[in-house]
Amino acid sequence: MQDIIFNLSIICLFVILAITLLILLLSIGLRRKSIIVLWAIFIIALATFAFFAEPSPSDDLYRYYLTINRIRGGIPNSEFVESPLIVQKLWFTIIAKTDNNGWLPASAVLLFGFFIGSIANDYMKKNNVATKIVILFFLSCLGCCSVFSLISGIRNVVAFAMWFFSYYFFYEYRKILYYFLTIIAALLHTAVIICVILALIYQYYLKMKVGKEYWKIILLIVVIAYVLPSPLIGNILNQIPNTYINLMARKWNYYFQYEGIMGDTGSLFIKIMVLFFTASALYLIIKKKGRITFSEFILSIGIPMSLSNIIFERFIFLIGIVSLPTLDNIYKSMSKLGRFFYVICAFCLLSIRIFLSFYSMFVYMNFNGQEIGEILRTIFGG
């Protein structure tokens, strides 16, 4: 029965991806509810797929499974017990109450899908958005966040999605809810602090004069990107008597010694993808010469942020999550021919990224399913 469910999830994933290709090529328009239903089906299929993941020892998910097994056995390690990441501890403890660790990546996918789907649904209610743009937004989230990072890394992608969900819905009118959800996200992953800092910089920009003053913000980001990858920051943070800040310090020093995403063979392609989004935002900023949106702000600093491993390792996730307004506005500002080429370029870049993400999963992970799972591992794994 498990084999059947797993194989059906694989078939469903590829069928929906094929449907999205047809929607983009044939310019098929769908109603808002139909788009959300399509997204929900995809997320359920992806969550089912993730449920059967068997990580390799090099994956974060492998370490998480070991921690959950120890909790289930009543002997959690000291690092977990002393961790200030309360939300992570609560999540893992809940999973330990079940009989299968697969609920961890499955629940991560469902949470991610809920946050992204809610943002898309609300944006479509308030704006006249082309179906293909919403599809590109979903692909941007899956491509920039990386399906592999969502299923294996789990915490970072979910924390970022939760944070932007809170910023999008509550920052302007219900700040208490924004602060509450931001704290929850930060207690799931410390990298949320990057999002908070960028939001504060953007709010500072809104209080400045529009125009040349914006480039001071860009310059500030460039300076930060050069300064952050330094052990000095980590050492300073480590002197503060707070377990959460000390955890940040350890992560800081770890990434200072770790090449991460900027050192792998796919770094050039990722930079090209980021350049595409950055160019999109800058095109809108230059063309309208007015106050920029938060989405345009985040996308426009993509290249400066890539100067730093410690920021860019996480920042790439945020690019996809906030991209919808920029994708929509640039699409509306283009001619019919320009729209065609823009959509094709975006689709190709994001499809390659998603394909590479699935490739990584089948190379580094095993799955409980047989037949289709075995065939795909053979194809992707070589």
Side-chain angles (χ1 to χ4, degrees):
M1 186 61 179
Q2 286 189 345
D3 294 345
I4 295 174
I5 294 175
F6 174 73
N7 291 335
L8 285 176
S9 72
I10 290 287
I11 293 172
C12 188
L13 287 173
F14 281 93
V15 167
I16 294 178
L17 290 175
I19 291 174
T20 61
L21 176 59
L22 288 176
I23 291 173
L24 293 175
L25 292 179
L26 302 179
S27 297
I28 299 173
L30 298 177
R31 293 182 178 181
R32 174 177 56 86
K33 290 183 178 179
S34 299
I35 296 173
I36 295 302
V37 167
L38 189 66
W39 172 249
I41 294 173
F42 178 84
I43 286 299
I44 291 173
L46 185 60
T48 304
F49 170 80
F51 181 84
F52 294 99
E54 296 177 350
S56 66
S58 61
D59 295 325
D60 287 339
L61 189 60
Y62 183 85
R63 177 165 50 86
Y64 297 156
Y65 279 6
L66 288 179
T67 299
I68 292 171
N69 289 337
R70 291 179 68 89
I71 296 172
R72 191 177 286 125
I75 48 171
N77 56 43
S78 58
E79 182 180 357
F80 177 82
V81 173
E82 297 171 1
S83 173
L85 300 178
I86 301 172
V87 175
Q88 176 196 342
K89 293 164 69 173
L90 177 62
W91 191 5
F92 284 16
T93 301
I94 292 173
I95 298 299
K97 300 295 182 181
T98 68
D99 59 354
N100 195 311
N101 293 342
W103 288 112
L104 179 64
S107 61
V109 173
L110 292 174
L111 286 170
F112 174 79
F114 169 76
F115 294 134
I116 299 303
S118 298
I119 292 168
N121 184 55
D122 184 76
Y123 190 86
M124 284 189 286
K125 283 182 180 178
K126 297 176 180 177
N127 302 273
N128 182 23
V129 192
T131 298
K132 60 179 63 178
I133 290 302
V134 182
I135 296 297
L136 282 181
F137 168 62
F138 289 147
L139 293 177
S140 297
C141 292
L142 295 171
C144 292
C145 293
S146 171
V147 179
F148 184 44
S149 295
L150 173 59
I151 293 176
S152 179
I154 292 177
R155 295 183 304 120
N156 198 170
V157 177
V158 172
F160 272 30
M162 179 187 294
W163 175 82
F164 186 62
F165 171 85
S166 68
Y167 182 87
Y168 177 87
F169 283 103
F170 305 124
Y171 185 85
E172 192 170 348
Y173 301 109
R174 299 180 181 178
K175 278 194 170 58
I176 292 179
L177 281 176
Y178 165 72
Y179 294 138
F180 175 72
L181 291 175
T182 295
I183 291 173
I184 290 178
L187 291 175
L188 179 60
H189 201 291
T190 55
V192 169
I193 301 302
I194 295 175
C195 301
V196 176
I197 292 173
L198 290 174
L200 291 174
I201 293 175
Y202 176 70
Q203 293 303 315
Y204 172 70
Y205 153 74
L206 292 180
K207 296 178 181 179
M208 295 165 50
K209 294 180 179 179
V210 177
K212 294 182 180 179
E213 297 291 335
Y214 173 69
W215 301 105
K216 292 182 180 179
I217 301 297
I218 296 293
L219 180 61
L220 176 61
I221 295 296
V222 172
V223 171
I224 291 174
Y226 272 114
V227 171
L228 282 182
S230 165
L232 176 63
I233 303 296
N235 292 335
I236 292 175
L237 291 175
N238 206 34
Q239 301 304 313
I240 301 175
N242 180 277
T243 54
Y244 187 86
I245 295 176
N246 293 157
L247 177 62
M248 288 182 61
R250 291 198 299 273
K251 295 290 185 182
W252 215 288
N253 290 332
Y254 168 74
Y255 279 108
F256 175 67
Q257 301 172 354
Y258 170 61
E259 279 193 286
I261 200 169
M262 301 305 293
D264 67 25
T265 56
S267 63
L268 177 60
F269 173 77
I270 294 172
K271 281 189 175 182
I272 292 173
M273 188 171 69
V274 172
L275 177 61
F276 174 83
F277 282 103
T278 300
S280 299
L282 292 178
Y283 170 83
L284 287 175
I285 293 170
I286 294 172
K287 185 172 182 177
K288 66 182 181 181
K289 297 179 180 179
R291 195 174 80 168
I292 67 173
T293 65
F294 183 68
S295 173
E296 292 163 359
F297 169 71
I298 293 297
L299 269 60
S300 68
I301 60 177
I303 295 303
M305 294 294 273
S306 70
L307 297 172
S308 167
N309 285 355
I310 188 171
I311 298 180
F312 192 64
E313 178 89 7
R314 311 299 179 185
F315 183 74
I316 183 68
F317 301 156
L318 192 59
I319 286 179
I321 293 171
V322 307
S323 64
L324 180 54
T326 299
L327 292 172
D328 182 33
N329 292 333
I330 198 169
Y331 182 80
K332 291 176 179 176
S333 70
M334 288 182 166
S335 64
K336 188 174 182 180
L337 183 62
R339 291 176 178 179
F340 173 78
F341 283 110
Y342 184 81
V343 170
I344 292 299
C345 288
F347 176 77
C348 290
L349 284 172
L350 294 169
S351 295
I352 293 172
R353 170 69 168 163
I354 293 171
F355 171 82
L356 291 175
S357 184
F358 274 99
Y359 171 85
S360 298
M361 283 192 292
F362 283 104
V363 167
Y364 295 108
M365 287 185 174
N366 294 320
F367 291 86
N368 287 335
Q370 303 298 320
E371 299 178 5
I372 295 179
E374 292 292 336
I375 294 173
L376 289 175
R377 280 202 296 278
T378 301
I379 294 174
F380 290 141

